Amino acid sequence: MLKLVEPPAVEPITIAELKLYLRIDHSVEDDLLGLIIKTARQHVEMITNRAIILQKWEWYLDDWWEGILNIPRPPLISIDQIKYRDENGTELPFTDYRYDAVDVGRLWLADGASFPPVKLYQYGGVKISFTAGYGSSGISVPEPIRHAIRLLAGHYYENREAVLVERGANIMQLPMAVEALLSPYRVWIF
């Protein structure tokens, strides 16, 4: 199970940036534009399996891992802590691990270390807390991802219904450029 603990504090593009992109010169819909940006970012995160802006996650495993474990929601910034629960539910720290934070982060058991010889709690016995994202501001996010968010936000702004049918037959889809912009950033290993 993967649980978002601390969502991004900011979005990868600002309302002012989106208004400039959409050529909007009023403030009447600023709250709506903020929600649209958030929705577009979340859609991009879903498509790419990435964390776009700095956020904290907890990942629960039912058992100890074997070999190298790929951490979901790259790019990984840090493994903040690992804890495990014994069969009675007592939570204990685990520190005998190493990791690297090169895009898709990897986690492994430290040299010469072994996992504690205890029976783990039945479900979610291992909790890995980690921080992921490109950074704490939009400027740290690759421009193709930011542009895909602008395109999606523009699409959502112009098409406020789930499906738009024109003249009875043509169904509008998301802009194809979004797929092309995000394709190099998709993570397929999870």
PDB file of all heavy atoms in Angstrom, residues 82-104:
ATOM      1  N   ILE A  82      12.785   3.764   7.998  1.00  0.00           N
ATOM      2  CA  ILE A  82      12.131   2.471   7.804  1.00  0.00           C
ATOM      3  C   ILE A  82      11.797   1.941   9.193  1.00  0.00           C
ATOM      4  O   ILE A  82      12.648   1.954  10.090  1.00  0.00           O
ATOM      5  CB  ILE A  82      13.029   1.475   7.042  1.00  0.00           C
ATOM      6  CG1 ILE A  82      13.334   2.017   5.641  1.00  0.00           C
ATOM      7  CG2 ILE A  82      12.357   0.107   6.957  1.00  0.00           C
ATOM      8  CD1 ILE A  82      14.264   1.143   4.825  1.00  0.00           C
ATOM      9  N   LYS A  83      10.573   1.504   9.344  1.00  0.00           N
ATOM     10  CA  LYS A  83      10.133   0.900  10.600  1.00  0.00           C
ATOM     11  C   LYS A  83       9.447  -0.417  10.274  1.00  0.00           C
ATOM     12  O   LYS A  83       8.954  -0.618   9.163  1.00  0.00           O
ATOM     13  CB  LYS A  83       9.167   1.818  11.346  1.00  0.00           C
ATOM     14  CG  LYS A  83       9.819   3.082  11.881  1.00  0.00           C
ATOM     15  CD  LYS A  83       8.864   3.860  12.734  1.00  0.00           C
ATOM     16  CE  LYS A  83       9.577   5.060  13.360  1.00  0.00           C
ATOM     17  NZ  LYS A  83       8.686   5.802  14.242  1.00  0.00           N
ATOM     18  N   TYR A  84       9.444  -1.301  11.262  1.00  0.00           N
ATOM     19  CA  TYR A  84       8.721  -2.559  11.091  1.00  0.00           C
ATOM     20  C   TYR A  84       7.911  -2.820  12.344  1.00  0.00           C
ATOM     21  O   TYR A  84       8.211  -2.301  13.423  1.00  0.00           O
ATOM     22  CB  TYR A  84       9.675  -3.719  10.780  1.00  0.00           C
ATOM     23  CG  TYR A  84      10.624  -4.087  11.893  1.00  0.00           C
ATOM     24  CD1 TYR A  84      10.318  -5.124  12.774  1.00  0.00           C
ATOM     25  CD2 TYR A  84      11.823  -3.406  12.066  1.00  0.00           C
ATOM     26  CE1 TYR A  84      11.185  -5.470  13.796  1.00  0.00           C
ATOM     27  CE2 TYR A  84      12.695  -3.747  13.079  1.00  0.00           C
ATOM     28  CZ  TYR A  84      12.375  -4.779  13.942  1.00  0.00           C
ATOM     29  OH  TYR A  84      13.243  -5.118  14.964  1.00  0.00           O
ATOM     30  N   ARG A  85       6.835  -3.586  12.166  1.00  0.00           N
ATOM     31  CA  ARG A  85       5.987  -3.970  13.295  1.00  0.00           C
ATOM     32  C   ARG A  85       6.091  -5.472  13.487  1.00  0.00           C
ATOM     33  O   ARG A  85       5.977  -6.243  12.528  1.00  0.00           O
ATOM     34  CB  ARG A  85       4.526  -3.598  13.039  1.00  0.00           C
ATOM     35  CG  ARG A  85       4.279  -2.110  13.098  1.00  0.00           C
ATOM     36  CD  ARG A  85       2.816  -1.755  13.054  1.00  0.00           C
ATOM     37  NE  ARG A  85       2.186  -2.247  11.831  1.00  0.00           N
ATOM     38  CZ  ARG A  85       0.877  -2.385  11.685  1.00  0.00           C
ATOM     39  NH1 ARG A  85       0.050  -2.108  12.665  1.00  0.00           N
ATOM     40  NH2 ARG A  85       0.376  -2.816  10.556  1.00  0.00           N
ATOM     41  N   ASP A  86       6.320  -5.854  14.729  1.00  0.00           N
ATOM     42  CA  ASP A  86       6.352  -7.292  15.008  1.00  0.00           C
ATOM     43  C   ASP A  86       4.918  -7.820  15.053  1.00  0.00           C
ATOM     44  O   ASP A  86       3.963  -7.063  14.905  1.00  0.00           O
ATOM     45  CB  ASP A  86       7.134  -7.590  16.285  1.00  0.00           C
ATOM     46  CG  ASP A  86       6.484  -7.039  17.552  1.00  0.00           C
ATOM     47  OD1 ASP A  86       5.273  -6.720  17.540  1.00  0.00           O
ATOM     48  OD2 ASP A  86       7.201  -6.918  18.561  1.00  0.00           O
ATOM     49  N   GLU A  87       4.772  -9.113  15.267  1.00  0.00           N
ATOM     50  CA  GLU A  87       3.447  -9.736  15.219  1.00  0.00           C
ATOM     51  C   GLU A  87       2.481  -9.179  16.257  1.00  0.00           C
ATOM     52  O   GLU A  87       1.265  -9.287  16.102  1.00  0.00           O
ATOM     53  CB  GLU A  87       3.575 -11.252  15.360  1.00  0.00           C
ATOM     54  CG  GLU A  87       4.145 -11.719  16.685  1.00  0.00           C
ATOM     55  CD  GLU A  87       4.349 -13.227  16.705  1.00  0.00           C
ATOM     56  OE1 GLU A  87       3.539 -13.953  16.089  1.00  0.00           O
ATOM     57  OE2 GLU A  87       5.316 -13.667  17.332  1.00  0.00           O
ATOM     58  N   ASN A  88       3.003  -8.530  17.299  1.00  0.00           N
ATOM     59  CA  ASN A  88       2.147  -7.925  18.326  1.00  0.00           C
ATOM     60  C   ASN A  88       1.778  -6.483  17.996  1.00  0.00           C
ATOM     61  O   ASN A  88       1.032  -5.847  18.734  1.00  0.00           O
ATOM     62  CB  ASN A  88       2.837  -7.972  19.686  1.00  0.00           C
ATOM     63  CG  ASN A  88       3.117  -9.389  20.129  1.00  0.00           C
ATOM     64  OD1 ASN A  88       2.275 -10.276  19.964  1.00  0.00           O
ATOM     65  ND2 ASN A  88       4.309  -9.621  20.649  1.00  0.00           N
ATOM     66  N   GLY A  89       2.330  -5.944  16.902  1.00  0.00           N
ATOM     67  CA  GLY A  89       2.026  -4.573  16.505  1.00  0.00           C
ATOM     68  C   GLY A  89       2.999  -3.535  17.042  1.00  0.00           C
ATOM     69  O   GLY A  89       2.802  -2.346  16.831  1.00  0.00           O
ATOM     70  N   THR A  90       4.046  -3.969  17.725  1.00  0.00           N
ATOM     71  CA  THR A  90       5.049  -3.043  18.250  1.00  0.00           C
ATOM     72  C   THR A  90       5.908  -2.531  17.094  1.00  0.00           C
ATOM     73  O   THR A  90       6.490  -3.318  16.352  1.00  0.00           O
ATOM     74  CB  THR A  90       5.944  -3.729  19.303  1.00  0.00           C
ATOM     75  OG1 THR A  90       5.101  -4.275  20.328  1.00  0.00           O
ATOM     76  CG2 THR A  90       6.942  -2.763  19.891  1.00  0.00           C
ATOM     77  N   GLU A  91       5.988  -1.200  16.955  1.00  0.00           N
ATOM     78  CA  GLU A  91       6.754  -0.600  15.861  1.00  0.00           C
ATOM     79  C   GLU A  91       8.190  -0.342  16.302  1.00  0.00           C
ATOM     80  O   GLU A  91       8.428   0.224  17.366  1.00  0.00           O
ATOM     81  CB  GLU A  91       6.085   0.704  15.412  1.00  0.00           C
ATOM     82  CG  GLU A  91       6.591   1.210  14.094  1.00  0.00           C
ATOM     83  CD  GLU A  91       5.779   2.366  13.569  1.00  0.00           C
ATOM     84  OE1 GLU A  91       5.836   3.453  14.172  1.00  0.00           O
ATOM     85  OE2 GLU A  91       5.089   2.180  12.555  1.00  0.00           O
ATOM     86  N   LEU A  92       9.132  -0.769  15.469  1.00  0.00           N
ATOM     87  CA  LEU A  92      10.562  -0.650  15.776  1.00  0.00           C
ATOM     88  C   LEU A  92      11.307  -0.067  14.579  1.00  0.00           C
ATOM     89  O   LEU A  92      10.919  -0.293  13.430  1.00  0.00           O
ATOM     90  CB  LEU A  92      11.133  -2.034  16.117  1.00  0.00           C
ATOM     91  CG  LEU A  92      10.458  -2.747  17.291  1.00  0.00           C
ATOM     92  CD1 LEU A  92      10.745  -4.222  17.252  1.00  0.00           C
ATOM     93  CD2 LEU A  92      10.928  -2.132  18.598  1.00  0.00           C
ATOM     94  N   PRO A  93      12.400   0.679  14.828  1.00  0.00           N
ATOM     95  CA  PRO A  93      13.160   1.235  13.704  1.00  0.00           C
ATOM     96  C   PRO A  93      14.049   0.181  13.058  1.00  0.00           C
ATOM     97  O   PRO A  93      14.507  -0.761  13.708  1.00  0.00           O
ATOM     98  CB  PRO A  93      14.010   2.315  14.372  1.00  0.00           C
ATOM     99  CG  PRO A  93      14.196   1.843  15.773  1.00  0.00           C
ATOM    100  CD  PRO A  93      12.915   1.103  16.129  1.00  0.00           C
ATOM    101  N   PHE A  94      14.305   0.354  11.764  1.00  0.00           N
ATOM    102  CA  PHE A  94      15.244  -0.485  11.037  1.00  0.00           C
ATOM    103  C   PHE A  94      16.216   0.450  10.321  1.00  0.00           C
ATOM    104  O   PHE A  94      15.793   1.325   9.567  1.00  0.00           O
ATOM    105  CB  PHE A  94      14.527  -1.391  10.032  1.00  0.00           C
ATOM    106  CG  PHE A  94      15.463  -2.263   9.261  1.00  0.00           C
ATOM    107  CD1 PHE A  94      16.056  -3.358   9.864  1.00  0.00           C
ATOM    108  CD2 PHE A  94      15.776  -1.985   7.939  1.00  0.00           C
ATOM    109  CE1 PHE A  94      16.944  -4.166   9.159  1.00  0.00           C
ATOM    110  CE2 PHE A  94      16.651  -2.782   7.229  1.00  0.00           C
ATOM    111  CZ  PHE A  94      17.239  -3.873   7.845  1.00  0.00           C
ATOM    112  N   THR A  95      17.514   0.282  10.575  1.00  0.00           N
ATOM    113  CA  THR A  95      18.506   1.219  10.028  1.00  0.00           C
ATOM    114  C   THR A  95      19.582   0.551   9.175  1.00  0.00           C
ATOM    115  O   THR A  95      20.441   1.248   8.637  1.00  0.00           O
ATOM    116  CB  THR A  95      19.199   1.988  11.170  1.00  0.00           C
ATOM    117  OG1 THR A  95      19.804   1.051  12.060  1.00  0.00           O
ATOM    118  CG2 THR A  95      18.208   2.856  11.929  1.00  0.00           C
ATOM    119  N   ASP A  96      19.535  -0.750   9.026  1.00  0.00           N
ATOM    120  CA  ASP A  96      20.587  -1.466   8.285  1.00  0.00           C
ATOM    121  C   ASP A  96      20.284  -1.518   6.789  1.00  0.00           C
ATOM    122  O   ASP A  96      20.153  -2.587   6.199  1.00  0.00           O
ATOM    123  CB  ASP A  96      20.764  -2.883   8.837  1.00  0.00           C
ATOM    124  CG  ASP A  96      21.362  -2.882  10.224  1.00  0.00           C
ATOM    125  OD1 ASP A  96      22.067  -1.915  10.556  1.00  0.00           O
ATOM    126  OD2 ASP A  96      21.125  -3.849  10.962  1.00  0.00           O
ATOM    127  N   TYR A  97      20.175  -0.353   6.176  1.00  0.00           N
ATOM    128  CA  TYR A  97      19.875  -0.293   4.749  1.00  0.00           C
ATOM    129  C   TYR A  97      20.704   0.800   4.088  1.00  0.00           C
ATOM    130  O   TYR A  97      21.262   1.675   4.747  1.00  0.00           O
ATOM    131  CB  TYR A  97      18.381  -0.026   4.515  1.00  0.00           C
ATOM    132  CG  TYR A  97      17.917   1.322   5.031  1.00  0.00           C
ATOM    133  CD1 TYR A  97      17.968   2.462   4.217  1.00  0.00           C
ATOM    134  CD2 TYR A  97      17.422   1.463   6.323  1.00  0.00           C
ATOM    135  CE1 TYR A  97      17.541   3.692   4.685  1.00  0.00           C
ATOM    136  CE2 TYR A  97      16.997   2.687   6.797  1.00  0.00           C
ATOM    137  CZ  TYR A  97      17.060   3.805   5.981  1.00  0.00           C
ATOM    138  OH  TYR A  97      16.650   5.019   6.450  1.00  0.00           O
ATOM    139  N   ARG A  98      20.767   0.723   2.788  1.00  0.00           N
ATOM    140  CA  ARG A  98      21.408   1.744   1.965  1.00  0.00           C
ATOM    141  C   ARG A  98      20.464   2.047   0.815  1.00  0.00           C
ATOM    142  O   ARG A  98      19.625   1.217   0.446  1.00  0.00           O
ATOM    143  CB  ARG A  98      22.755   1.265   1.402  1.00  0.00           C
ATOM    144  CG  ARG A  98      23.774   0.883   2.450  1.00  0.00           C
ATOM    145  CD  ARG A  98      24.286   2.119   3.210  1.00  0.00           C
ATOM    146  NE  ARG A  98      25.204   1.734   4.266  1.00  0.00           N
ATOM    147  CZ  ARG A  98      24.877   1.549   5.542  1.00  0.00           C
ATOM    148  NH1 ARG A  98      23.629   1.674   5.929  1.00  0.00           N
ATOM    149  NH2 ARG A  98      25.776   1.218   6.438  1.00  0.00           N
ATOM    150  N   TYR A  99      20.627   3.226   0.218  1.00  0.00           N
ATOM    151  CA  TYR A  99      19.798   3.571  -0.936  1.00  0.00           C
ATOM    152  C   TYR A  99      20.537   4.557  -1.821  1.00  0.00           C
ATOM    153  O   TYR A  99      21.505   5.190  -1.396  1.00  0.00           O
ATOM    154  CB  TYR A  99      18.449   4.148  -0.491  1.00  0.00           C
ATOM    155  CG  TYR A  99      18.509   5.545   0.087  1.00  0.00           C
ATOM    156  CD1 TYR A  99      18.289   6.663  -0.732  1.00  0.00           C
ATOM    157  CD2 TYR A  99      18.780   5.764   1.436  1.00  0.00           C
ATOM    158  CE1 TYR A  99      18.343   7.941  -0.211  1.00  0.00           C
ATOM    159  CE2 TYR A  99      18.825   7.038   1.958  1.00  0.00           C
ATOM    160  CZ  TYR A  99      18.603   8.130   1.131  1.00  0.00           C
ATOM    161  OH  TYR A  99      18.654   9.402   1.649  1.00  0.00           O
ATOM    162  N   ASP A 100      20.081   4.653  -3.053  1.00  0.00           N
ATOM    163  CA  ASP A 100      20.539   5.736  -3.912  1.00  0.00           C
ATOM    164  C   ASP A 100      19.304   6.453  -4.441  1.00  0.00           C
ATOM    165  O   ASP A 100      18.234   5.874  -4.564  1.00  0.00           O
ATOM    166  CB  ASP A 100      21.474   5.268  -5.034  1.00  0.00           C
ATOM    167  CG  ASP A 100      20.816   4.392  -6.076  1.00  0.00           C
ATOM    168  OD1 ASP A 100      19.592   4.482  -6.269  1.00  0.00           O
ATOM    169  OD2 ASP A 100      21.534   3.624  -6.719  1.00  0.00           O
ATOM    170  N   ALA A 101      19.481   7.724  -4.693  1.00  0.00           N
ATOM    171  CA  ALA A 101      18.354   8.566  -5.098  1.00  0.00           C
ATOM    172  C   ALA A 101      18.555   9.110  -6.506  1.00  0.00           C
ATOM    173  O   ALA A 101      18.372  10.281  -6.759  1.00  0.00           O
ATOM    174  CB  ALA A 101      18.180   9.704  -4.098  1.00  0.00           C
ATOM    175  N   VAL A 102      18.951   8.234  -7.417  1.00  0.00           N
ATOM    176  CA  VAL A 102      19.120   8.636  -8.806  1.00  0.00           C
ATOM    177  C   VAL A 102      17.823   8.301  -9.530  1.00  0.00           C
ATOM    178  O   VAL A 102      17.590   7.150  -9.881  1.00  0.00           O
ATOM    179  CB  VAL A 102      20.325   7.915  -9.451  1.00  0.00           C
ATOM    180  CG1 VAL A 102      20.470   8.314 -10.903  1.00  0.00           C
ATOM    181  CG2 VAL A 102      21.593   8.217  -8.674  1.00  0.00           C
ATOM    182  N   ASP A 103      16.961   9.296  -9.728  1.00  0.00           N
ATOM    183  CA  ASP A 103      15.657   9.154 -10.367  1.00  0.00           C
ATOM    184  C   ASP A 103      14.851   8.045  -9.691  1.00  0.00           C
ATOM    185  O   ASP A 103      14.308   8.258  -8.615  1.00  0.00           O
ATOM    186  CB  ASP A 103      15.784   8.938 -11.868  1.00  0.00           C
ATOM    187  CG  ASP A 103      14.459   9.149 -12.582  1.00  0.00           C
ATOM    188  OD1 ASP A 103      13.727  10.081 -12.208  1.00  0.00           O
ATOM    189  OD2 ASP A 103      14.134   8.387 -13.495  1.00  0.00           O
ATOM    190  N   VAL A 104      14.758   6.859 -10.312  1.00  0.00           N
ATOM    191  CA  VAL A 104      14.050   5.754  -9.657  1.00  0.00           C
ATOM    192  C   VAL A 104      14.970   5.251  -8.553  1.00  0.00           C
ATOM    193  O   VAL A 104      15.959   4.576  -8.810  1.00  0.00           O
ATOM    194  CB  VAL A 104      13.709   4.623 -10.650  1.00  0.00           C
ATOM    195  CG1 VAL A 104      13.042   3.472  -9.927  1.00  0.00           C
ATOM    196  CG2 VAL A 104      12.818   5.148 -11.763  1.00  0.00           C
TER     197      VAL A 104
END
